[in-house]
Amino acid sequence: LMPALCSVVTPGFVSFVSTSQRPSSASRTNSKTRALSMSDRTPAQRAIDFLHLTQSLKTTPRTGWVNHGIGNPESIADHMYRMSLMAMVASKEMPELCQAKCVNLALIHDLAEALVGDITPNDPVTKEEKQKLESDAMAKIREVLGDSLGGDTIEQLWHEYEDGITPEAKLLKDLDKLEMIQQAGEYEHTTGKDLSDFFTSTAGKFQTKVGQAWEAEIVSRRPKRDAQ
């Protein structure tokens, strides 16, 4: 489990540092109180603070690969970037969807992990706790950026993805799993590891015809293994 983060004021940036354990509700409230007032900052300051906050997405490895012993695994941002390309392409097969929204959802869907890390189902955190941690993180990110620069839109997009109700969100839920199993297949080819757990955990869970077709294609490209 990635350590939780609390906000502190440092010269030049509203930065986020790791604590050894997840802070209590009271400490998170105190941290928020200590944060710089976003209303006192210029648009340029708010934009750069927001972009600085996302740096951890580039440097934090995806937990599932770490847990499976993959050396130098992809970062959260790596996953988000390819998923954005997948959204651009897959939405062309579903012309009734808004392609721009699909790409935006892909760009936003794991943004909360910039603050809370990549929490997996194997971590000692309940689904409800994870949702609360990430929802609070998105509220903080909205505060950092400010609504005039789209903070409200980013938070709304994140909730749309999490709810998984709109046609675009359903496609993106599929793409999240597809990007994971494509990466698993690629790691199987390059490392020789058996990463069947990732394929098993997603089998039968694709909601769209595009997702189902892409899953079949990805699975067909897995390395062939001798029967045990």
Side-chain angles (χ1 to χ4, degrees):
L1 174 63
M2 295 298 297
L5 304 172
C6 60
S7 59
V8 296
V9 176
T10 57
F13 288 110
V14 177
S15 64
F16 298 81
V17 297
S18 172
T19 59
S20 59
Q21 55 184 299
R22 178 152 34 102
S24 65
S25 297
S27 65
R28 287 198 297 271
T29 300
N30 291 337
S31 296
K32 188 172 182 178
T33 301
R34 291 194 299 269
L36 289 175
S37 171
M38 294 301 105
S39 63
D40 294 337
R41 302 180 69 75
T42 68
Q45 287 172 322
R46 287 187 279 115
I48 299 306
D49 282 340
F50 166 72
L51 295 171
H52 175 63
L53 178 154
T54 67
Q55 180 191 21
S56 63
L57 296 171
K58 298 171 65 176
T59 58
T60 303
R62 295 256 282 168
T63 304
W65 309 130
V66 174
N67 291 346
H68 281 74
I70 302 296
N72 191 31
E74 66 166 351
S75 69
I76 298 169
D78 291 332
H79 163 70
M80 294 169 73
Y81 175 71
R82 183 157 64 176
M83 191 170 151
S84 300
L85 293 177
M86 295 171 89
M88 181 180 293
V89 175
S91 60
K92 299 295 284 186
E93 292 195 57
M94 301 176 68
E96 71 276 14
L97 303 189
C98 173
Q99 184 186 54
K101 177 184 276 192
C102 289
V103 174
N104 286 342
L105 287 169
L107 288 169
I108 299 306
H109 82 286
D110 277 345
L111 185 56
E113 294 181 13
L115 300 187
V116 303
D118 183 16
I119 302 171
T120 74
N122 294 322
D123 290 316
V125 178
T126 68
K127 183 177 181 180
E128 292 74 21
E129 288 173 333
K130 179 178 183 290
Q131 202 281 332
K132 179 66 163 57
L133 285 169
E134 293 184 345
S135 182
D136 288 349
M138 290 307 300
K140 170 56 69 177
I141 290 170
R142 174 180 178 175
E143 179 188 2
V144 169
L145 185 58
D147 289 356
S148 65
L149 294 181
D152 53 344
T153 301
I154 285 175
E155 186 179 29
Q156 290 164 9
L157 284 167
W158 182 84
H159 282 287
E160 178 176 343
Y161 173 80
E162 284 294 302
D163 292 342
I165 296 173
T166 65
E168 288 85 359
K170 288 179 179 178
L171 173 62
L172 268 291
K173 289 287 186 179
D174 278 2
L175 297 182
D176 188 33
K177 293 186 282 287
L178 288 167
E179 204 289 322
M180 182 182 71
I181 62 172
Q182 179 163 359
Q183 186 63 68
E186 289 163 352
Y187 282 145
E188 286 185 327
H189 278 285
T190 59
T191 69
K193 290 180 178 289
D194 182 353
L195 299 174
S196 295
D197 289 351
F198 293 92
F199 294 90
T200 301
S201 68
T202 58
K205 296 182 179 178
F206 294 92
Q207 304 177 76
T208 65
K209 290 183 178 179
V210 172
Q212 293 160 7
W214 286 24
E215 178 200 22
E217 181 62 28
I218 291 169
V219 170
S220 75
R221 299 189 184 200
R222 292 184 68 192
K224 300 297 186 291
R225 299 184 180 278
D226 295 334
Q228 299 297 316

